[in-house]
Structure formats: C-alpha cells, structure tokens
Amino acid sequence: MWWVRALRTKAEFVASLRDGRTVYFKGHKIEDITRDPFCERVIAHLGLEFEIPENPQYRDLVTFSPDGKTRYSRYFKLPENSEDLLKRSQIIDLGTRLASTVVILIKEIGTDCLFTLNIISKQMDKQLHTDYFNRVKRYHDYCMKNDLAMAVAQTDVKGDRSLGPSEQEHEDYYVRIVEERSDGIVVRGAKAHTSYGPFANEIMVIPTRALAEKDEQYAVAFAVPANTKGVKMIASPFGGTSSSEFHNPISSKHHMVESITLFDDVFVPWDRVFMKGETQFAGPLALTFVEYHRFTAISYKAPILDLLIGAGISMAQMNGIIGASHARDKIAELIRYGETVKGLTKQAAINCRMVEGLAVPDPVYSNIAKWHFASNYHQHVALVQDLTGGLTVTGPSEDDLRSPDTGPSLRKYLGGKKGVGAENRLRMINLVRDLTASDFGGYNEILQIHAEGSIEASKLTLFRQYNAKNCVELARKIANVGNGLSE
Ligand SMILES: Cc1cc2nc3c(=O)[nH]c(=O)nc-3n(C[C@H](O)[C@H](O)[C@H](O)COP(=O)(O)OP(=O)(O)OC[C@H]3O[C@@H](n4cnc5c(N)ncnc54)[C@H](O)[C@@H]3O)c2cc1C
C-alpha cells in the first residue's frame, strides 16, 4: 500500500530484534529476546507503535508525507511551529492512551534527541567549522526511512554526584572516548536507565551534563546499532511481573523496561559521531534534549491523569459516596491537578521559540508542568486510594471469585452500590491496585519523580530560563529604587 511504504509492520519490527544483540536478564544472557516470555510482553506493547499507523482512523495524525508519496512516522517530522509540537503531543498522548497509560517511547525519545542534534550540530558547525550537521541529517534520514526504534542513553551512572567526570574515583563513571582512530572512535563506560534499550534498533548516546574543559574525553555524542560489538544491556525486571489481566489490567500487557547499558570499548565510525571533545557544547546539548524530552514527558502524562480522575469517580460511584462532600472535593482536586498539567503542556507548544529553524517547546511551561506533576503525584494517588478503600490490597484473587466454593459468597458480599456487581467493583479496585499499589504502581511512582530528570533539575531549569526582567522592573519601579542594583 502506498501509504505504508516507509513504515514497518509489527512483524518487521520483531524480526529486526533478532540480530545477535547482547541482553542479560536476571543473571543470564537472552539468546533471542523475541522468544523470551518476559520480553514477548514488552514487544507486544511496543508493537502498538507499528500497528497504530495501519488504522485509518489514526493514519493522518501519526504519519506525514514530505513528498506527497511516501508516508513516514510523524515522530520524525522536524517541528517547524506550534502546530507541529501540538500534533507531536497528540500522537504521544494517543499511543500512551492505547497502551493503557504506559508510554511506548521507541520513537519519542529518539526523535527528541535527533531534533537536539539537528540544532546543536548547526551551532557547532557555525562556530567551530565542523561538519556535524550533514552527519546528523544523514542519520536522521536513515532512522526515518527505515522506521527504526530508538533508545537514548543520556544518564551516566555518575558515581559521586558532587564531582565532575574527571574527578571521580575511576575514569569510567561517565561514558568517554578511550581511543581515536583514522576511521572513528572507541568509547567506554556505562549509562543507566536506558528505556527500552534492549528493544531498540539504535542506541543514541549524548552527554548528561555541562562539562569543563578538562572533561574533553567525556564530550561525546554518537549512535550505534543495538547489536554493535561491546554494547551489553542488563534489563531491569521490575514493574510488570504479573500476567493476570484480572489482577493487573495495565501491567499484565503494558510495562516499560530499562537497561544498564554497557559500552565495553565500542567502536563508532565517524559518520555516527556527533560530538567529539567540544566540551562547550555538552551543556547546551544536554539542556536542549531535556527541553524536548520534558515536553514529551508532560504529553504522555495526560492519559494517566485522566485515568486517576476516571478511577476516582468510578470508585466513588461504585462505593455509593459520589454525593459525599469529601468525595467531590477529592475528585475536584484530581481534576485541578490533571487539567493544570494538560493546560501547561499546550501552552509550552504555543509559546515555543525558534532555534536554528526548529520549534523548541517553552521550557518555563514544560518545567512547571513536569515539576507540578512529579511533586504532586503521590498525593493524588493517595486521593484515589482513599476513595477506593482497603480492598485495594486485601481483596480476593480471581481464583477465589471463580471457585464454586467461595465465588457465590464473594459475589454476595463484595457488591457496592446497587446494580454495580461484585466482579465489576473488584475489577475497578484491581485497576487502582495495579496503577497505585502493585510492583508496577511503585515503579510508576519512581518514574514520575525521576524520569526525564529529577524534580530539582526542573526547578533549576525554570530558575535559569525564566525571563524575570519585567517582574524585576515592576518591583523596582514601585519601590522607586532606580537602576543602581546589580543584576
Ligand atoms: C523509569 C525511568 C526511565 C528513564 N529513562 C531514561 C532514558 O531512557 N534515558 C536516559 O538517559 N535516562 C533515563 N532515565 C533517567 C532519569 O533521567 C534519571 O533517573 C534522573 O535524571 C535522575 O538521575 P539519577 O537516577 O541518577 O538520580 P540522582 O541524579 O542520583 O538523583 C538522586 C538525588 O540526588 C540529587 N542530586 C543529583 N546530583 C546532584 C548534585 N550534583 N548536587 C545536589 N544534588 C544532586 C537529585 O536532585 C536527587 O534528589 C529514566 C529514569 C527512570 C526512573
């Protein structure tokens, strides 16, 4: 079909993962991740990324056609204005919603990184007369035309957080260049938390922080295929251990997997190297990535915010307390919380600024949204748990509900408001447990705080990026203190 020519099918994506990559899980090496029971569930979740464009209902939104003939995933479209960013936000929301609130992220994060490299390579070329932009452009085209799944390994393992890369106990706490050859570089080190690394075709690597001149070997950005010699991924087992749809309606089908990603003297050819020693651009690269990536983050929060509201209302109805003033108060608070984040997300797109021809989401609104979401998530989870009741963790298993010995009693005693029925009520309670009080629920609480950068990082960016000139001028004018103060 003409419209899917550049888009891969789920089967093609799955086949591409049989490439001899090195993935470890719970102490053993997985020979073929497509045949491992744990990985199969993750692959089924990620397969949605390739199924969504096949649905005529979503096709126009999630794809674009630069030449009017070939259709590519819209994720690869360089954002030229607010509208592009709003559409990007919509497709992130759509995918996450279809995946029961679990972000898919094999295109989102990679394209956040591609946009960043696009901007920073242009700036490096202008200032340093390098030729990075052409490499980035070729690499972007390659990923887009092959519809690749990408992971981004930014966060180094970091050792002592109070020290810079070259001050650490050993040299490899941050990924670094250990050798330069005529045909490329050799890199060594480890990155942590690489989302879906074991399931990506490409691993993109960028610095995690601003660097000093003495950190030259750490100023490195590159991309390698996931099966490159020396790349080893140790997959995390947490957050999705149950296969029961009844008990875990979300995490039995959808959950994320991160990896500790090792670079054991990995060779990278020049055409895949996007930064080599330009320490002065490490900070801008890390920061620009975060500006795109926090916008991705707040975009994929909308479905979980809606789910908290929906579950809270449903449980209040099922328990017969929807008319109680405290229940209405809690639901109103859930709505305020959710709609604030959603409103700020739109505003971040609308207030975008143009950098090197690309639209970058407004960091002030993105960071307020991320900070507001992350620092209030646990309290809002508590409101839903409060409305739901203790059965969230004390309820019976599905086997007991189905058993002829215990099922009739459970159906008799565990109903709520007339007409709801015990099984429906238990299903909704199970949703709340999966979302808030399971292995997956705990994983989610950590994700909301740390993924896309810690809360403190958001505050710092907000402080640095906020243009307070008007505010300061107003205060000085009203206080009549003149211009004598230092900036
Ligand atoms: C689910 C999940 C998915 C993720 N996916 C990815 C991914 O795909 N790719 C990727 O690159 N990263 C990813 N991350 C990493 C994420 O960006 C980091 O977890 C986050 O930046 C925090 O870093 P950290 O985990 O090392 O914690 P730390 O940075 O160690 O944070 C712990 C505490 O130390 C504080 N702290 C840290 N440094 C300093 C300092 N210098 N001075 C004072 N206080 C400090 C922090 O504010 C925080 O309070 C993911 C994380 C999670 C949880």
Side-chain angles (χ1 to χ4, degrees):
M1 280 178 282
W2 70 271
W3 56 268
V4 286
R5 223 155 51 87
L7 298 171
R8 288 192 294 176
T9 61
K10 179 180 168 189
E12 286 168 329
F13 163 64
V14 175
S16 75
L17 301 176
R18 290 188 202 112
D19 59 359
R21 62 190 54 216
T22 306
V23 177
Y24 293 90
F25 184 65
K26 290 187 171 177
H28 68 273
K29 188 173 169 214
I30 302 181
E31 290 309 327
D32 176 355
I33 61 164
T34 67
R35 296 204 167 86
D36 176 88
F38 177 79
C39 295
E40 271 175 14
R41 280 221 307 273
V42 185
I43 292 170
H45 159 69
L46 297 178
L48 266 176
E49 182 60 48
F50 302 91
E51 290 167 342
I52 292 170
E54 291 177 0
N55 186 331
Q57 195 187 339
Y58 307 130
R59 190 184 307 150
D60 285 345
L61 175 65
V62 302
T63 65
F64 82 117
S65 175
D67 60 4
K69 290 183 202 145
T70 314
R71 290 222 156 242
Y72 303 100
S73 163
R74 187 180 289 279
Y75 279 120
F76 291 102
K77 184 175 190 319
L78 292 165
E80 292 169 44
N81 46 39
S82 296
E83 203 189 319
D84 281 345
L85 290 172
L86 286 168
K87 280 216 169 109
R88 184 170 170 82
S89 186
Q90 275 173 37
I91 60 176
I92 295 170
D93 180 316
L94 172 71
T96 312
R97 208 166 279 269
L98 293 173
S100 303
T101 72
V102 180
V103 66
I104 301 176
L105 212 70
I106 48 173
K107 294 271 175 61
E108 295 89 325
I109 191 168
T111 48
D112 286 336
C113 190
L114 286 170
F115 301 161
T116 303
L117 290 171
N118 195 292
I119 290 173
I120 300 297
S121 64
K122 277 186 198 157
Q123 293 177 342
M124 284 201 283
D125 287 358
K126 270 189 210 163
Q127 219 172 299
L128 309 172
H129 309 293
T130 45
D131 187 29
Y132 285 121
F133 175 67
N134 284 323
R135 287 184 198 172
V136 170
K137 194 172 174 319
R138 278 195 297 274
Y139 181 68
H140 184 146
D141 273 8
Y142 168 74
C143 293
M144 181 175 84
K145 289 181 176 159
N146 291 286
D147 202 25
L148 296 182
M150 299 155 292
V152 174
Q154 177 182 40
T155 314
D156 292 275
V157 288
K158 297 190 289 199
D160 181 335
R161 272 66 176 149
S162 68
L163 302 176
S166 43
E167 300 159 343
Q168 299 283 341
E169 186 184 358
H170 65 70
E171 292 172 303
D172 298 333
Y173 270 130
Y174 287 73
V175 168
R176 68 188 179 110
I177 302 168
V178 291
E179 191 188 339
E180 190 174 328
R181 296 187 194 164
S182 59
D183 49 352
I185 56 173
V186 178
V187 294
R188 183 187 303 158
K191 296 275 188 177
H193 331 278
T194 316
S195 289
Y196 299 121
F199 306 91
N201 301 114
E202 289 283 322
I203 312 287
M204 301 167 70
V205 177
I206 54 173
T208 200
R209 55 180 289 170
L211 296 172
E213 258 180 55
K214 63 182 175 183
D215 295 324
E216 192 180 330
Q217 57 183 325
Y218 300 96
V220 62
F222 61 90
V224 284
N227 65 350
T228 302
K229 188 166 173 266
V231 173
K232 296 173 187 162
M233 292 176 278
I234 304 163
S236 169
F238 307 116
T241 44
S242 159
S243 57
S244 161
E245 190 267 335
F246 183 81
H247 297 127
N248 299 83
I250 304 173
S251 63
S252 60
K253 289 192 231 130
H254 305 280
H255 63 90
M256 292 179 72
V257 170
E258 289 77 29
S259 63
I260 302 289
T261 308
L262 306 180
F263 297 88
D264 282 352
D265 292 2
V266 172
F267 172 70
V268 188
W270 285 124
D271 60 342
R272 285 172 161 271
V273 177
F274 308 124
M275 170 179 279
K276 184 200 70 75
E278 296 84 357
T279 47
Q280 69 274 41
F281 283 96
L285 200 166
L287 197 68
T288 307
F289 171 71
V290 157
E291 288 182 6
Y292 277 116
H293 196 43
R294 291 212 179 120
F295 180 70
T296 289
I298 54 178
S299 298
Y300 82 69
K301 304 303 183 199
I304 203 169
L305 290 163
D306 285 357
L307 190 62
L308 288 174
I309 297 169
I313 293 174
S314 301
M315 282 313 317
Q317 286 169 335
M318 288 178 167
N319 288 342
I321 54 167
I322 193 75
S325 63
H326 80 88
R328 290 177 174 215
D329 189 63
K330 282 165 189 148
I331 290 163
E333 173 52 32
L334 288 167
I335 295 168
R336 183 195 66 80
Y337 172 58
E339 291 304 317
T340 303
V341 176
K342 288 196 266 176
L344 289 166
T345 306
K346 277 204 186 106
Q347 204 55 43
I350 291 166
N351 275 34
C352 66
R353 66 181 202 283
M354 298 304 293
V355 185
E356 302 293 347
L358 295 198
V360 182
D362 183 303
V364 169
Y365 289 107
S366 294
N367 279 287
I368 296 175
K370 159 80 173 107
W371 175 12
H372 180 68
F373 180 86
S375 56
N376 290 292
Y377 182 76
H378 293 55
Q379 294 89 315
H380 290 80
V381 157
L383 297 181
V384 178
Q385 290 172 335
D386 176 292
L387 294 168
T388 304
L391 276 178
T392 313
V393 293
T394 62
S397 71
E398 182 174 21
D399 291 340
D400 293 315
L401 188 69
R402 308 275 173 243
S403 157
D405 288 343
T406 49
S409 300
L410 292 174
R411 286 178 195 282
K412 174 179 172 188
Y413 290 115
L414 293 186
K417 189 176 169 61
K418 191 175 171 195
V420 167
E423 177 157 350
N424 283 338
R425 184 160 170 259
L426 282 175
R427 280 186 182 276
M428 191 56 71
I429 289 171
N430 284 346
L431 170 68
V432 173
R433 190 181 56 252
D434 197 20
L435 185 64
T436 72
S438 65
D439 178 21
F440 170 70
Y443 168 97
N444 244 339
E445 292 196 339
I446 303 298
L447 181 152
Q448 312 308 357
I449 290 182
H450 280 295
E452 303 93 26
S454 65
I455 293 173
E456 296 312 315
S458 274
K459 289 185 197 169
L460 198 63
T461 315
L462 180 61
F463 180 76
R464 284 185 180 153
Q465 301 274 341
Y466 186 69
N467 183 353
K469 191 166 172 279
N470 286 346
C471 311
V472 173
E473 277 173 9
L474 182 66
R476 288 180 184 184
K477 185 165 178 251
I478 295 174
N480 197 19
V481 293
N483 292 321
L485 291 176
S486 58
E487 293 302 316

